C-alpha cells in the first residue's frame, strides 16, 4: 500500500481534507493525519483519526513519539507529503525553512515529494510575499495543486479556493508518478495562441485552456511524463507537469517539435488559423483623418497535421479536437482524415463550451463514433487518459 502523510493546517477549507482522506483511502492509499495547531481549530483529531483509521499526529514535544525520533520517522515512512489545506503562514515557513512545530519540522526533514494545496483569501494569495514564497518552493521542486478560482467563505470571489478532493487525489498520483502510463511521454497543447499585430496588439481567441490542462493533469496522474505546451492562459500549472509557455502558433509548433519524441500527442489548443502577414516593429500609430489600417492575414502552420505526418518521430497516437457548430460528426470525420490524426474528439460548441465547466464530446476513432454523455472537462480528461493508457499499455 502506498502511504501518504496528510498535513492539515488552519484554514476554513480543512473540512475538505477529511473528504480527501476518505477518497484517498478508498483509492487504496494509506493516509496518516497530521494536524497543525491551527488545523486542530477547524477539524478535530478524532474526526481525522476516524477517517484515516490511524493515529493523528500534532505534537513535536510528545515524549512518547520523540523517543523514537517521531518527526524523522513521519518524514521518511511516507511516499509523499501532502499539505492540504496549506495556509499562507505555513507556505512562508516552508519557504524560509522554519521548524517550530511538528508539521514544519517534518517538512524540513523529508526528502520525499511534497505537494501543497493552498487555501487562503485571494488578496493573501496574490500578495507578492506569498507569490515569492511559492516561487521559491516551486524552484525547490515542491508541487502545487491549485488554488482554484471561486467563492470564498467570506463573501468574496477570486483565486484562493482549495482544489476539490478528486483533483487533489489526481495531483497526488501525478506526484507519486506510478500508473499505467509510467515511462510514457505525453505531449499536450492547450489554450489559445496570440498572433502579434505590433508590439502591443494581437489577434487571439477565447480558449480558456481548461480542457487541455485537465488532459495534461489526467495523463500525469496515470504516471506519464507530460509536456504541456500552453498559449497564454490564467490557469495554474497542473502538478507534476512540465509546462512550456508560448504565445504564437509558430512558437507552439517549435516547442512541440522540441519536445518530441512522444508516445502520444493531444492537440487541445485553439491555434489561430491565420496570423498578420507582417508584424510591425513599432506600435502602429493612429493618424488623424487617415483610414484605419488593413491587416492582411497569412496561414499558420497546422500543429496537429504536422505531428500526424508519417515519419520516425510521429507519436504512436495523435489526437485532435474538432470544435464545430453544425454537422459536428461529418466535419470531425473529415478533419480526422485530412489532418491524418488517429482520434478526434468532436465537440459541439454551439452550446457554450468556451470557459465552461462541462463538455459534450464524441470520440472518433478508426472503429467509428462513440458519443460520451455531457460531463465535466476533468471527467472528459480522465476518460480520454484511460483510453490512451489502454492503447499504449
Ligand atoms: O482545423 P481546426 O482548427 O478546427 O482543427 C482543430 C484541431 O487542430 C485541434 O486539435 C487543434 O488543436 C488543432 N490545430 C493545430 N494547429 C492549427 C490549427 C488547429 O494543432 N494551426
Amino acid at each position: 500500500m502506498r502511504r501518504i502523510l496528510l498535513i492539515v493546517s488552519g484554514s476554513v477549507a480543512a473540512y475538505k481534507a477529511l473528504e480527501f482522506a476518505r477518497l484517498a483511502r478508498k483509492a487504496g492509499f494509506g493516509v496518516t493525519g497530521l494536524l497543525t495547531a491551527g488545523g486542530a481549530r477547524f477539524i478535530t483529531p478524532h474526526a481525522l483519526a476516524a477517517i484515516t483509521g490511524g493515529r493523528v499526529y500534532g505534537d513535536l514535544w510528545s515524549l512518547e513519539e520523540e523517543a523514537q525520533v517521531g518527526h524523522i520517522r513521519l518524514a521518511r515512512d511516507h511516499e509523499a507529503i501532502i499539505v492540504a489545506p496549506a495556509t499562507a503562514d505555513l507556505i512562508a515557513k516552508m519557504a524560509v525553512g522554519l521548524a517550530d512545530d511538528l508539521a514544519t519540522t517534518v517538512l524540513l526533514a523529508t526528502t520525499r515529494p511534497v505537494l501543497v494545496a493552498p487555501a487562503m483569501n485571494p488578496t493573501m494569495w496574490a500578495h507578492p510575499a506569498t507569490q515569492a514564497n511559492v516561487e521559491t518552493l516551486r524552484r525547490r521542486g515542491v508541487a502545487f495543486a491549485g488554488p482554484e478560482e471561486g467563492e470564498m467563505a467570506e463573501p468574496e470571489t477570486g483565486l484562493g479556493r482549495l482544489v476539490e478532493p478528486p483533483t487533489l487525489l489526481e495531483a497526488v498520483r501525478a506526484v507519486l508518478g506510478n500508473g499505467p502510463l509510467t515511462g510514457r511521454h505525453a505531449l499536450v497543447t492547450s489554450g489559445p495562441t496570440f498572433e502579434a499585430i505590433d508590439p502591443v496588439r494581437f489577434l487571439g481567441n477565447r480558449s480558456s485552456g481548461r480542457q487541455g490542462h485537465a488532459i495534461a493533469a489526467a495523463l500525469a496522474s496515470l504516471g506519464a511524463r507530460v509536456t504541456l505546451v500552453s498559449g497564454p492562459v490564467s490557469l495554474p500549472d497542473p502538478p507534476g507537469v512540465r509546462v512550456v509557455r508560448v504565445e504564437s502558433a509558430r512558437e507552439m509548433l517549435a516547442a512541440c517539435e522540441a519536445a518530441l519524441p512522444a508516445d502520444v500527442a493531444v492537440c487541445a489548443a485553439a491555434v489561430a488559423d491565420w496570423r498578420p502577414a507582417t508584424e510591425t516593429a513599432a506600435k502602429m500609430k493612429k493618424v488623424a483623418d487617415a483610414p484605419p489600417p488593413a491587416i492582411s492575414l497569412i496561414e499558420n502552420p497546422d500543429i496537429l497535421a504536422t505531428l500526424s505526418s508519417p515519419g520516425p518521430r510521429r507519436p504512436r497516437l495523435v489526437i485532435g479536437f474538432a470544435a464545430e457548430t453544425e454537422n459536428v460528426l461529418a466535419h470531425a470525420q473529415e478533419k480526422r482524415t485530412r489532418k491524418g490524426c488517429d482520434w478526434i474528439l468532436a465537440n459541439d460548441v454551439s452550446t457554450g463550451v468556451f470557459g465552461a465547466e462541462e463538455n459534450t464530446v464524441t470520440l472518433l476513432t478508426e472503429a467509428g463514433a462513440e458519443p460520451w454523455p455531457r460531463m465535466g472537462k476533468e471527467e472528459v480528461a480522465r476518460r480520454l487518459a484511460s483510453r490512451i493508457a489502454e492503447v499504449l499499455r
Side-chain angles (χ1 to χ4, degrees):
M1 185 201 291
R2 317 197 74 183
R3 296 206 62 86
I4 56 174
L5 178 68
L6 174 63
I7 297 179
V8 181
S9 66
S11 151
V12 64
Y15 73 93
K16 284 198 208 167
L18 295 174
E19 175 62 11
F20 164 74
R22 195 186 63 79
L23 266 185
R25 283 195 75 197
K26 233 174 91 184
F29 289 94
V31 184
T32 306
L34 193 165
L35 275 176
T36 68
R41 297 261 176 167
F42 287 93
I43 59 170
T44 69
H46 299 89
L48 195 52
I51 285 183
T52 57
R55 57 171 297 191
V56 169
Y57 297 81
D59 185 6
L60 178 60
W61 304 109
S62 153
L63 265 183
E64 183 198 333
E65 283 304 317
E66 286 307 307
Q68 302 149 34
V69 205
H71 64 277
I72 300 293
R73 216 167 33 73
L74 283 174
R76 307 272 159 87
D77 286 359
H78 295 89
E79 287 186 52
I81 301 189
I82 320 303
V83 190
T87 58
D89 177 65
L90 184 50
I91 290 172
K93 284 179 171 161
M94 287 172 74
V96 177
L98 290 188
D100 62 353
D101 65 1
L102 185 59
T104 47
T105 307
V106 167
L107 285 162
L108 200 59
T110 193
T111 53
R112 301 294 192 179
V114 176
L115 172 67
V116 173
M120 67 193 74
N121 172 278
T123 312
M124 293 170 78
W125 172 252
H127 196 286
T130 305
Q131 288 304 308
N133 291 333
V134 169
E135 194 45 44
T136 302
L137 293 175
R138 274 195 212 279
R139 264 189 273 114
R140 271 184 219 148
V142 171
F144 278 79
E148 286 181 348
E149 184 105 29
E151 266 177 44
M152 301 287 122
E154 55 272 30
E156 202 177 318
T157 57
L159 200 58
R161 269 173 71 90
L162 182 69
V163 287
E164 292 304 320
T167 311
L168 185 56
L169 187 59
E170 210 165 76
V172 170
R173 290 207 173 99
V175 161
L176 288 171
N178 229 337
L181 288 174
T182 299
R184 305 287 183 197
H185 180 211
L187 170 64
V188 181
T189 71
S190 183
T193 63
F194 284 4
E195 310 294 333
I197 297 170
D198 69 14
V200 296
R201 302 180 180 94
F202 62 86
L203 295 177
N205 64 67
R206 293 187 199 283
S207 165
S208 66
R210 287 189 61 146
Q211 186 63 79
H213 276 55
I215 291 168
L219 290 166
S221 80
L222 296 186
R225 179 168 66 83
V226 181
T227 304
L228 172 63
V229 180
S230 175
V233 296
S234 57
L235 293 173
D237 292 352
V241 165
R242 185 172 80 94
V243 182
V244 182
R245 288 182 185 74
V246 297
E247 290 217 329
S248 68
R250 285 178 298 171
E251 285 169 11
M252 188 173 273
L253 177 62
C256 287
E257 287 184 323
L260 292 176
D263 299 284
V264 54
V266 184
C267 292
V271 183
D273 290 316
W274 308 284
R275 67 173 183 273
T278 50
E279 181 191 342
T280 59
K283 185 183 165 196
M284 290 164 77
K285 294 304 257 183
K286 191 165 137 188
V287 181
D289 300 328
I295 298 173
S296 67
L297 301 174
I298 54 172
E299 209 170 310
N300 259 334
D302 192 312
I303 297 162
L304 177 60
T306 309
L307 293 175
S308 298
S309 62
R313 281 164 80 76
R314 187 193 194 278
R316 203 166 125 202
L317 197 56
V318 184
I319 304 165
F321 272 79
E324 308 288 348
T325 53
E326 54 191 11
N327 296 333
V328 177
L329 286 189
H331 281 142
Q333 191 58 60
E334 181 274 326
K335 200 164 282 178
R336 181 173 165 265
T337 328
R338 177 164 49 85
K339 301 210 182 201
C341 60
D342 303 293
W343 298 353
I344 282 263
L345 279 162
N347 55 345
D348 186 345
V349 291
S350 60
T351 52
V353 164
F354 291 113
E357 311 240 337
E358 293 199 315
N359 213 345
T360 312
V361 304
T362 300
L363 176 66
L364 292 174
T365 69
E366 57 287 351
E370 187 186 302
W372 290 359
R374 184 166 181 82
M375 58 179 84
K377 288 181 177 173
E378 277 73 25
E379 191 51 37
V380 169
R382 277 193 279 271
R383 261 196 172 198
L384 180 65
S386 67
R387 293 297 293 267
I388 292 169
E390 279 170 26
V391 173
L392 296 185
R393 209 189 292 270

